[in-house]
Amino acid sequence: LIRKDILYRRSEELHIFSSTTYNSKNEVVEIKYFEENGEVSQIKTYKDSILEKVVNYSHYKRAYSIYDKLVNPKTGYEYYKARESLTQFKDLNLLDAKLENEELNLYSLKSSDNKDIFVVFQNYSPGKTSQDGIRWYEDPLKYFGIKEIFYGKRKSEKIKSYEDIVKDGYFEEFNLGYFPGAASITGSPYNVETVIKTGYFEDGAESGVWKNYDSSRGDLISSFNYVKGVLDGPYEIYFSNGALKENGEYRDGRKVILWEAGPQYWPSY
C-alpha cells in the first residue's frame, strides 16, 4: 500500500479529508489533512509508525468553539452564531513560508502587495500523551505553535536576530491552547492558537489602538492608544463578563481615570 485517501460527502459532493502515505514496509510515513477548499490544514509525520511531529497550517483560520447569542432583527427569534477567529491573517498559507532563522523559529511570507510578513513559532508540549502515542516527553522541541505574526522591514537580508527586523504594520500575538492534533479535524474546532493582542507598529514603535483579548474566549479585555510607543489617548478596561471596568485616558504616558466601576460581586455556583 502506497497511499490511502479518505473522502467525505457534503452536499452531494465528495471532498478529500485525509491522505496517508506509506513506506515499503507498509508503515505510515505521513498523513495530510485538508480543508474543504483543498488546502492542507495539517501534516503529521511518523517514524517507525510513531507520530513524531504535527504541523498545523490553517487551523487558526477556523471558527472558535464558542457561540454568541444573537437576535434576528426581522423575526425576533434568538439564535447562536459561532464566533470567528480574530486573526486578520486568515488568507496566509504557511506552506508558502520561507525559513529565515531556525534557531529563532522565524519564517516569512510575502503579502499581496509584496510586503514582508514574519511568523514566529514557539515550542511547547501537551499536558499528556495523546491517543496517537506522541512522544512529547522525549523531545518537546518537535512541537510548535504560532507566537506572533506581523509586518516588518529587514535591516539586513540575512536575519541573525530579532534586532534585524523592524516591526512596521499590523501585529498579532497568539496564546497556545489545545495541542495540535489532539482534537478531531471533523469534530468541534478547538482554539489551538488564540489571538490575545492586536495593534500596529510604525517603524518599531506602537502606534494607534492596541487591544488585548482573553486567551480562552477571545473577549476584549482592554483597549489602549499609543503615540510613537508612548501611551497617549483614551483607554478602556473590561470585566470578564464584558462590562466596562474602567476608562480614562493617558496623557504623554500618565494615566488619568475618568470612570471606575465599584466592587463587583459574582454569584457562586
Side-chain angles (χ1 to χ4, degrees):
L1 187 63
I2 298 175
R3 174 175 167 175
K4 180 175 68 175
D5 294 338
I6 297 178
L7 303 153
Y8 69 94
R9 186 181 299 276
R10 174 167 291 181
S11 301
E12 302 303 318
E13 294 183 357
L14 282 175
H15 297 266
I16 185 168
F17 165 64
S18 67
S19 178
T20 304
T21 303
Y22 298 83
N23 60 18
S24 58
K25 298 179 182 179
N26 205 34
E27 296 173 334
V28 176
V29 175
E30 179 184 83
I31 301 178
K32 288 185 179 179
Y33 295 93
F34 297 86
E35 300 282 0
E36 288 188 27
N37 61 5
E39 292 184 359
V40 175
S41 65
Q42 183 186 81
I43 294 179
K44 296 181 179 181
T45 55
Y46 293 76
K47 184 177 180 181
D48 299 327
S49 297
I50 299 296
L51 181 59
E52 287 211 322
K53 188 173 183 180
V54 181
V55 180
N56 288 268
Y57 294 101
S58 56
H59 59 268
Y60 61 90
K61 297 192 297 186
R62 299 175 184 171
Y64 285 104
S65 54
I66 297 174
Y67 293 82
D68 291 317
K69 184 167 69 173
L70 303 175
V71 177
N72 187 319
K74 293 182 179 180
T75 64
Y77 291 124
E78 294 180 347
Y79 67 99
Y80 291 84
K81 181 180 180 181
R83 189 173 298 183
E84 293 292 331
S85 173
L86 295 169
T87 181
Q88 291 188 23
F89 292 109
K90 294 182 180 180
D91 296 327
L92 283 186
N93 185 355
L94 298 188
L95 286 171
D96 299 329
K98 171 189 173 185
L99 177 62
E100 294 284 352
N101 188 305
E102 188 171 4
E103 292 182 358
L104 300 177
N105 294 328
L106 177 68
Y107 291 74
S108 70
L109 302 98
K110 289 290 186 181
S111 65
S112 57
D113 54 358
N114 206 38
K115 293 182 179 179
D116 282 322
I117 298 175
F118 294 94
V119 183
V120 180
F121 289 84
Q122 58 183 319
N123 301 109
Y124 74 111
S125 298
K128 61 181 179 179
T129 306
S130 76
Q131 295 178 351
D132 288 317
I134 298 176
R135 297 184 294 187
W136 61 269
Y137 48 84
E138 294 182 10
D139 188 359
L141 299 182
K142 292 177 181 177
Y143 307 107
F144 300 87
I146 296 174
K147 181 180 180 180
E148 296 178 354
I149 303 180
F150 57 89
Y151 285 88
K153 296 185 293 188
R154 302 168 184 265
K155 290 184 179 180
S156 62
E157 188 60 31
K158 188 173 183 180
I159 298 174
K160 297 180 179 180
S161 69
Y162 291 123
E163 294 180 355
D164 293 329
I165 306 172
V166 176
K167 293 178 179 176
D168 190 55
Y170 184 63
F171 168 94
E172 289 182 350
E173 181 180 340
F174 292 77
N175 180 70
L176 294 174
Y178 288 94
F179 177 62
S184 169
I185 299 278
T186 56
S188 299
Y190 285 83
N191 296 331
V192 181
E193 291 154 353
T194 306
V195 177
I196 59 173
K197 182 181 289 187
T198 64
Y200 287 85
F201 280 96
E202 188 173 332
D203 287 327
E206 294 95 334
S207 178
V209 178
W210 279 71
K211 295 181 179 181
N212 295 281
Y213 300 89
D214 177 77
S215 61
S216 59
R217 293 187 53 84
D219 294 323
L220 183 63
I221 295 176
S222 62
S223 175
F224 295 90
N225 196 78
Y226 288 83
V227 176
K228 296 182 179 180
V230 178
L231 284 167
D232 194 294
Y235 77 89
E236 294 178 339
I237 301 174
Y238 298 88
F239 287 108
S240 59
N241 66 347
L244 183 63
K245 180 179 181 180
E246 178 185 320
N247 70 355
E249 62 183 32
Y250 279 85
R251 300 170 185 171
D252 196 23
R254 294 185 178 182
K255 184 178 182 180
V256 178
I257 300 175
L258 300 179
W259 181 86
E260 188 174 13
Q264 302 291 308
Y265 300 98
W266 309 108
S268 58
Y269 296 95

